[in-house]
Structure formats: structure tokens, C-alpha cells
Amino acid sequence: MLDPSEIYDLDPEVVAEVEARSAVGSGPVLVHAVRGLVDAGNAGRLAAEHLTEELDTTRLATFDVDQLLDYRSRRPTMTFESNTWTDYVEPELVVDLVKDSAGVPFLLLHGVEPDVQWERYVAAVRQIVERFDVPLTIGIHGIPMGIPHTRPLSVTAHATRPDLILDHTSWFGTVQVPADTGALLEVRLGESGHDAMGFAVHVPHYLAQSPYPQASIMALQQVERAAGLELQLGSLEPAAEETVREIDRQVSGSPEVAAVVHALEEQYDAFTRNVGRPSLLAESAQLPTAEELGEEFERFLAQQGGDNPAQ
């Protein structure tokens, strides 16, 4: 492997700030929301945008995307006006130092997923984790599911140690899915003894291609809970409420769409009744086993026309 330290640059002033804070306490948590294979509802992208726009942010690390991207497979956007090129949307892969509402610092890795040199990239992130004594790494994104938007959102949680996610239900058995760098990062960090976890928010499959702020709120709520951060989620509520109003307008204007949503509601409700819970998030005094939940949920998904929960 080529030297991982040669694919990113660190800002020395921000480095000094992070190291000074770590010297008198624990290191910062690292949150990653890199745009990879799947991000249903733009859950991770909207979350990263919210954090960088609403909170105090400075640039800690910048990756050399020229070494990591295949521009011909994912061409950046340029703007042409009349007779001249006026703008180029330069792809970025960066780590920012962000401070939450209470001034607690954490790191945010975001931008475009590398096309090549995955192991080198993951090793570079591990260097950052170890240099700044990161105690926990958390990934967030959205996945499409056969659920209606009129029911509570749920998440699939995963971690390098089971006790990190004891209060989360496992809905699936063993599956093989296309890899992404976020999953590989979690695996490699776990192998090297670092705590890492992630949350995949279940987004209604018919909304997977559109921005769905509700999914970002759910993802960031999980980050708040796991890391003890305050992330100003109230500023996402207006967009979430407007999204729901627009979805309801479109559903009410199309009997065909309304029928699909109603069918999903019935299937969702039948599933939650079968597992003895009023919603996928609610607690119950007599929960079925993890194996029973996984089998029942996989049967439920199979009824949705073959939706793959990991896509």
C-alpha cells in the first residue's frame, strides 16, 4: 500500500486546536456521511449540510480527490453561460472540526466517496482517528425500504461491538451486499481495536430519490444519543414539515399513489401486530427473539416486490 498520509493535508492551526482540547479531555467523536453507493432520501448528505451550515465549522483535513476519483464515471458539474464557462463544482472529500450547540467539538468526514484506493483511504482515516484520539466513529446514511411515509421511521444499527447497540433491534439475518467505504471503514477500525458504529435510516422506497429531511433528523438523533451531542435539529423541522405537506398533496392528487401508500400502511401495520408492537420503534414487555424478528421482517420485505433492504 502507498503511504496513506500522502493523500490528505492537515491544517496546522486546526490540528493544534484539536490536540489542545484532547490533551485536557477525551478526543472528538468522528461522524462520517460520505456520499457513497446508497443514500436514500439524501439522508447523509442533508445531515452533513445541516451540520456545516448551522454549526461552527473549520476545515481540518482535505483529501486529494485527484488520486481517489474516477472523473469519467462521476463527472463533476460545470456551468456554461452564453459564451463562457462560469463555474466548476469541484468535488471534495474533507474532515471538518465542528462544534455543537454547547461548544462540544466533533469531527465530520463528508464529501464524495473514493472510486479507487479504498484501503489506502481507510488507512488514512484510521491515521486521523488515532492521531486525534477519536473514541467513537459513527456513520449515517439512508436505505430504501418498503414502508409508508405515514408511519414512524426506523433504523438499522451496526457496530464493531454488540454492546454499542444493545438498545437497537436487529431486523435482518445474514446478507451479502455491494461494499462501500463507510462499511469498510467500520470493519477496519474494528479490526484495529477502535469503536465504530453506524445507522442506516429506513426511507420509504418511493421517496428514495428525493430529499427527505425526516431521514436526516432521524440519523442525527441517533448521533446525538450515541455521542452526547446537541446538533440543532429544530432548524431541519420546517423543511421536514414542508416535505410531508408536499408528499400528502401528491398522494391525495393521485388515486394510484394513494392506493400504494394505503397497501404499505396495511402491510406495515400487519407486520407490527405480528411482532406485538405498535410501531417498529416502540418498546414491548414481551419482545420476540432477534431471529424471529429477522425472519418476520424479511418475509415482510419479500411482499414488497423484492426490495433489497441493503440497497
Side-chain angles (χ1 to χ4, degrees):
M1 181 194 303
L2 298 173
D3 186 352
S5 66
E6 294 181 354
I7 59 171
Y8 67 95
D9 293 317
L10 295 169
D11 184 298
E13 292 186 4
V14 184
V15 166
E17 179 181 352
V18 177
E19 290 180 335
R21 287 177 175 270
S22 299
V24 296
S26 63
V29 167
L30 171 66
V31 178
H32 60 96
V34 173
R35 299 195 298 277
L37 176 66
V38 172
D39 186 25
N42 293 328
R45 180 180 66 80
L46 292 177
E49 290 177 356
H50 164 77
L51 295 175
T52 57
E53 292 172 1
E54 297 294 327
L55 300 174
D56 182 8
T57 304
T58 52
R59 184 62 40 83
L60 171 64
T62 303
F63 284 85
D64 183 357
V65 293
D66 263 357
Q67 296 192 57
L68 301 174
L69 295 189
D70 177 358
Y71 288 93
R72 291 190 299 176
S73 67
R74 290 189 295 169
R75 294 180 183 269
T77 301
M78 298 187 69
T79 301
F80 185 79
E81 294 183 9
S82 182
N83 58 7
T84 187
W85 296 103
T86 60
D87 186 48
Y88 170 59
V89 181
E90 183 176 352
E92 287 187 330
L93 180 59
V94 300
V95 179
D96 288 333
L97 172 64
V98 186
K99 297 175 185 175
D100 78 350
S101 301
V104 177
F106 64 97
L107 304 181
L108 174 64
L109 169 61
H110 63 106
V112 295
E113 180 184 45
D115 294 307
V116 298
Q117 302 190 50
W118 278 17
E119 292 287 3
R120 189 184 186 196
Y121 159 72
V122 166
V125 177
R126 177 183 164 187
Q127 286 183 344
I128 292 172
V129 165
E130 294 177 344
R131 174 164 184 173
F132 299 109
D133 297 321
V134 170
L136 179 64
T137 299
I138 307 172
I140 52 174
H141 70 291
I143 57 175
M145 297 283 277
I147 58 175
H149 71 281
T150 53
R151 297 297 185 266
L153 288 177
S154 53
V155 301
T156 291
H158 43 85
T160 53
R161 291 190 292 111
D163 55 316
L164 291 173
I165 51 172
L166 286 176
D167 55 349
H168 289 273
T169 298
S170 175
W171 300 107
F172 306 107
T174 300
V175 296
Q176 287 188 319
V177 299
D180 64 26
T181 56
L184 180 60
L185 174 62
E186 185 173 310
V187 169
R188 293 293 184 250
L189 288 175
E191 290 174 345
S192 59
H194 299 287
D195 283 346
M197 63 194 306
F199 300 100
V201 181
H202 305 161
V203 176
H205 62 80
Y206 52 91
L207 301 175
Q209 302 302 316
S210 304
Y212 194 55
Q214 289 85 341
S216 300
I217 292 173
M218 172 60 77
L220 291 174
Q221 285 174 339
Q222 303 306 312
V223 173
E224 286 186 326
R225 185 178 179 185
L229 297 171
E230 299 177 15
L231 302 177
Q232 290 187 201
L233 301 187
S235 60
L236 280 168
E237 292 292 345
E241 293 168 358
E242 176 56 33
T243 298
V244 170
R245 286 193 291 268
E246 179 58 29
I247 294 170
D248 288 340
R249 281 195 293 268
Q250 294 189 27
V251 170
S252 62
S254 171
E256 294 81 5
V257 174
V260 171
V261 172
H262 180 64
L264 289 172
E265 289 172 337
E266 290 184 333
Q267 291 169 331
Y268 179 101
D269 294 341
F271 168 71
T272 56
R273 285 194 299 269
N274 286 342
V275 298
R277 304 169 69 179
S279 83
L280 295 180
L281 302 179
E283 296 295 334
S284 173
Q286 293 183 336
L287 289 175
T289 67
E291 291 76 12
E292 291 170 339
L293 284 167
E295 292 172 359
E296 184 66 28
F297 202 48
E298 286 171 357
R299 284 195 295 270
F300 167 71
L301 290 171
Q303 297 173 358
Q304 311 308 312
D307 288 322
N308 184 343
Q311 289 183 346

